[in-house]
Amino acid sequence: MVKGSGKVERKWLFFDIDGTLVPFGEDARPSPRTLEALSALRAQGHKVFLCTGRTKCDIGKTLLCFDVDGVISGAGARIEMDGVCVREKLLPLRLLRRSAAQILRLHVSCILEGTHGFYYVGQGSVKLPWNFPRVMRAGEITHEMCVEKFTAHTGSEAEFAPLAACLAPVYDIYARPDGRFFEMVRKGQDKASAIRWLCEKYGVAKENTYAFGDSQNDLPMFRTVGTGVAMGSAPHAVCREAALVTGTLEEEGVAGALQRLGLI
């Protein structure tokens, strides 16, 4: 509360999706208890944002079954407020074509993740099951694809290593613990940069910001907000940088943390 006023100070809360609100990769509704907690936040005047590595086209209507104040997608590439895009940082075409040329040369299975659709480029040991449009040459990539980020799917970390060496100077690379899935986000355009932009634009103090997540790409936002909350399933490196470690998704970790923090 603001001292002497009896007024609750408005907080801005940023929630990862996969592993935090719903099981990884699913177009599912958050649990009833999670939905109740998020609704209670907004009823008290707090702002609720999705802050996800998913691009806009991968956030289905089932997931968006509740009201939010905004969506940060593409791991920070795009920001929507009340359904309107207020900031967009797509991968530059020249950089994207150069990256695709390396993917094709080094034979790695990758997905270019756009605002409106996905595109399959390269072929490594993993044959991906999705029937996305295939990019056979780097020159086929156009501005209209609106690519926000891309991911690699490999049989092992060793298979990805040569491509990682090419990409590391320009991209932040986030690996899943099994060493078979890698997310490439352009340096300086991560979840943290999107949160900082919003807070500067709307005059939100750091101490009034919270972030909930469970994976490596959530670390930048943990370092940016006032309070970072790691899900119980998060790797040790993520938990170590969080102010609070809550329960897992199955243990209703989001609702539990909001109660422990006195926000609901």
Side-chain angles (χ1 to χ4, degrees), residues 35-90:
L35 290 174
E36 182 181 1
L38 297 177
S39 178
L41 281 172
R42 298 188 79 243
Q44 295 183 52
H46 303 311
K47 295 285 189 180
V48 172
F49 292 81
L50 299 181
C51 190
T52 177
R54 297 192 191 202
T55 55
K56 178 177 170 61
C57 68
D58 199 29
I59 304 173
K61 292 181 179 179
T62 305
L63 177 60
L64 284 175
C65 62
F66 61 100
D67 292 329
V68 295
D69 296 285
V71 177
I72 297 171
S73 61
R78 180 184 172 92
I79 306 173
E80 289 189 2
M81 286 283 286
D82 300 317
V84 177
C85 181
V86 295
R87 179 179 179 264
E88 187 175 60
K89 295 286 185 179
L90 302 175

Side-chain angles (χ1 to χ4, degrees), residues 61-127:
K61 292 181 179 179
T62 305
L63 177 60
L64 284 175
C65 62
F66 61 100
D67 292 329
V68 295
D69 296 285
V71 177
I72 297 171
S73 61
R78 180 184 172 92
I79 306 173
E80 289 189 2
M81 286 283 286
D82 300 317
V84 177
C85 181
V86 295
R87 179 179 179 264
E88 187 175 60
K89 295 286 185 179
L90 302 175
L91 291 180
L93 183 59
R94 183 177 295 182
L95 171 62
L96 188 55
R97 285 179 172 174
R98 189 164 70 241
S99 303
Q102 299 286 9
I103 292 168
L104 290 161
R105 180 177 68 85
L106 294 170
H107 306 290
V108 177
S109 301
C110 291
I111 299 295
L112 308 182
E113 301 186 9
T115 303
H116 311 294
F118 288 176
Y119 307 88
Y120 195 159
V121 58
Q123 181 61 65
S125 66
V126 176
K127 185 173 182 180

